[in-house]
Amino acid sequence: MIHLIPSHQGRPADDPIFSLHHEAAQRRARGEHVIDATIGVLLGDDGALAVLPAAARAVREVPAVEWATYAPIAGTSDFLRAVIDDLLAGEPEMKRMAVAVATPGGTGAIRHAITNFLEPGEALLTTNWFWGPYRTLCDEADRGFETFEMFDGSGKLDVESLDAAIARQLASQKRVLVVLNDPAHNPTGYSMSDDEWIAVADRLASRAATCPITLLVDCAYFLYGARDPRAFLRRLRPLLGSVTLLFAWSASKSFTHYGLRVGALVACAGDAERAMVEAALCYSCRGTWSNCNRGGLAAITRMLADPELARACTVDRENAKALLLARVDAFNARAARRGLRYPRYEGGFFVTVFVDAPHERAATMRSQGVYVLPQLPAAADTPAGASAPARVKGGALRIALCAVASGDVERLVDVLAEGLTLPT
Ligand code: PLP
């Protein structure tokens, strides 16, 4: 007799990214020169984790008693203020409307958004290329998962497809939670243009009169894009008061402390419901992880609010970003020559190259010592509550350029390009 509930039987324990990364690491340990472009952490050209020195210093300076003490359920007020000030600098009205809770990374923030802005059985809506854990988080929370076509024929954000999907959801579930990961989208590397943000805001505004629409911006990589990371906020101003704006803020990449598990959900809600939203988010904290790591909150608060430390972190991050952007440039230059097909890529941890039969191609590449993540997009009409992704033709290989040494970028592209000539 199996005691595990049927809906949880057959769930995979292994994350494919971590399995591939583990295999690559084992080969490396045996002395092979392996290029591992699977894992989404920034590595230096020496293969070591690129840690912002100022951030590491701030973590070391947190007193023992801070690590030992419980944090308040919602997170320390200094931390919440610092995050809101950091994210919404230059947006006074958003700041006035903002409430926040601390979460274990951006993942926790996305979890709270799903459970507080969708009823059980209702589906989240995101791009058909997406970070896999979005679906896992929905599964875990008994919420459905639906997607819209991310790119139109000219490689731009398919705003028509988004709008049609919103219309479908408004008809079927009378509520919409749209999740956009921007800038430097994982997995495609795409950063929306100003015009695309304007078009998205316009569609959301015109659909928000009758049913609740919530927009969650997952800004996990926002400090690694090529342009002003906060520029998109001004395009969301017209939505204030009619669309609830949520932001999944994460210290993982911004401060290169992935394991510290510090993040926040920031919500800009209308006057009538702000206190209710804040209370519901606090309740969710209590009902899941109870509270976050107080030492981590203290360290990140200093990195945000202590002017000298904040400046030092910015300088260190700019160095890390320059390393990443040099890899992006090298990739773009070589990939253009080798005819790879991929979305506009200006910066960020990942890029996605479109191929057919991605699993076969990734396997061939592994035999040549290059590890990338094969991906298939979700079908645009994935039904709510589906536990397995419906598939469409065509796939992709996600390349975590953040983890590839600059000197390996050309070989990576060459092996990718050779793969493209294989019979499928
Ligand atoms: N969103 C995206 C798209 C990500 O790729 C990640 C991490 O890889 C996260 C959110 C959340 O990361 P964390 O929970 O470490 O903040």
Side-chain angles (χ1 to χ4, degrees):
M1 182 171 50
I2 294 179
H3 291 202
L4 189 68
I5 56 172
S7 59
H8 289 201
Q9 291 171 19
R11 285 188 163 179
D14 244 10
D15 183 286
I17 301 171
F18 284 96
S19 311
L20 287 171
H21 171 63
H22 182 64
E23 187 183 307
Q26 282 181 325
R27 284 176 63 175
R28 230 180 232 162
R30 290 198 297 268
E32 274 187 71
H33 181 74
V34 166
I35 299 178
D36 178 7
T38 58
I39 192 96
V41 295
L42 183 60
L43 302 184
D45 280 344
D46 58 357
L49 195 68
V51 181
L52 306 186
R57 178 161 48 85
V59 169
R60 277 198 307 275
E61 286 171 0
V62 173
V65 69
E66 285 284 336
W67 295 111
T69 311
Y70 278 130
I73 302 295
T76 54
S77 53
D78 286 354
F79 169 76
L80 300 176
R81 178 48 47 203
V83 169
I84 291 173
D85 286 348
D86 169 61
L87 177 70
L88 303 178
E91 296 296 332
E93 185 56 8
M94 283 188 196
K95 257 179 155 163
R96 185 191 71 76
M97 295 176 71
V99 292
V101 290
T103 58
T107 308
I110 298 160
R111 187 263 166 213
H112 275 8
I114 291 169
T115 55
N116 284 284
F117 291 88
L118 290 172
E119 287 286 8
E122 293 176 346
L124 170 153
L125 179 63
T126 192
T127 47
N128 68 331
W129 297 102
F130 60 91
W131 185 49
Y134 288 164
R135 181 190 287 279
T136 313
L137 288 161
C138 287
D139 272 352
E140 266 297 290
D142 294 324
R143 267 60 172 187
F145 183 81
E146 293 179 5
T147 60
F148 65 93
E149 197 72 34
M150 183 167 180
F151 297 113
D152 65 15
S154 60
K156 298 206 171 102
L157 187 81
D158 194 338
V159 181
E160 296 308 322
S161 169
L162 167 65
D163 192 47
I166 291 174
R168 271 199 308 277
Q169 285 204 333
L170 285 178
S172 63
Q173 64 185 37
K174 309 232 171 328
R175 185 191 317 283
V176 177
L177 170 62
V178 180
V179 180
L180 294 178
N181 172 213
D182 192 83
H185 176 258
N186 178 6
T188 65
Y190 193 72
S191 293
M192 286 164 59
S193 68
D194 206 34
D195 284 349
E196 286 167 335
W197 270 113
I198 292 170
V200 166
D202 195 48
R203 299 310 170 97
L204 294 179
S206 68
R207 298 254 176 219
T210 49
C211 299
I213 296 186
T214 304
L215 171 66
L216 170 65
V217 182
D218 174 0
C219 41
Y221 299 93
F222 84 127
L223 298 185
Y224 292 91
R227 289 171 268 137
D228 173 2
R230 295 170 187 80
F232 74 98
L233 290 168
R234 87 172 67 99
R235 301 305 171 200
L236 302 182
R237 284 179 201 159
L239 302 180
L240 285 173
S242 62
V243 170
T244 296
L245 299 178
L246 305 178
F247 302 94
W249 185 95
S250 168
S252 298
K253 334 279 165 178
S254 299
F255 293 97
T256 63
H257 274 72
Y258 313 86
L260 201 59
R261 308 308 302 138
V262 174
L265 181 62
V266 177
C268 296
D271 294 348
E273 63 173 310
R274 192 169 316 122
M276 198 160 52
V277 166
E278 189 174 26
L281 295 178
C282 286
Y283 193 89
S284 285
C285 292
R286 190 48 156 163
T288 46
W289 44 77
S290 196
N291 50 41
C292 288
N293 171 336
R294 187 178 185 118
L297 299 182
I300 298 295
T301 303
R302 273 195 66 214
M303 293 179 216
L304 291 168
D306 173 329
E308 199 189 315
L309 191 57
R311 249 191 318 275
C313 285
T314 303
V315 170
D316 289 348
R317 190 184 307 105
E318 286 308 309
N319 291 335
K321 204 170 134 180
L323 176 75
L324 187 57
L325 289 177
R327 292 178 193 166
V328 173
D329 288 345
F331 180 91
N332 282 328
R334 191 75 171 183
R337 251 182 286 149
R338 300 300 309 254
L340 299 187
R341 241 172 14 98
Y342 60 100
R344 188 180 69 234
Y345 183 40
E346 301 158 308
F349 279 35
F350 306 101
V351 62
T352 280
V353 173
F354 298 121
V355 297
D356 287 330
H359 288 88
E360 291 79 348
R361 289 176 197 278
T364 305
M365 289 178 68
R366 283 199 294 281
S367 70
Q368 297 169 278
V370 178
Y371 281 71
V372 296
L373 185 71
Q375 302 232 302
L376 291 165
D381 59 351
T382 305
S387 57
R391 301 301 193 196
V392 293
K393 188 181 177 302
L397 300 171
R398 187 190 81 165
I399 292 118
L401 216 53
C402 54
V404 178
S406 309
D408 282 337
V409 173
E410 284 200 359
R411 182 175 154 227
L412 168 77
V413 175
D414 288 344
V415 173
L416 268 166
E418 278 164 35
L420 291 177
T421 61
L422 287 175
T424 57

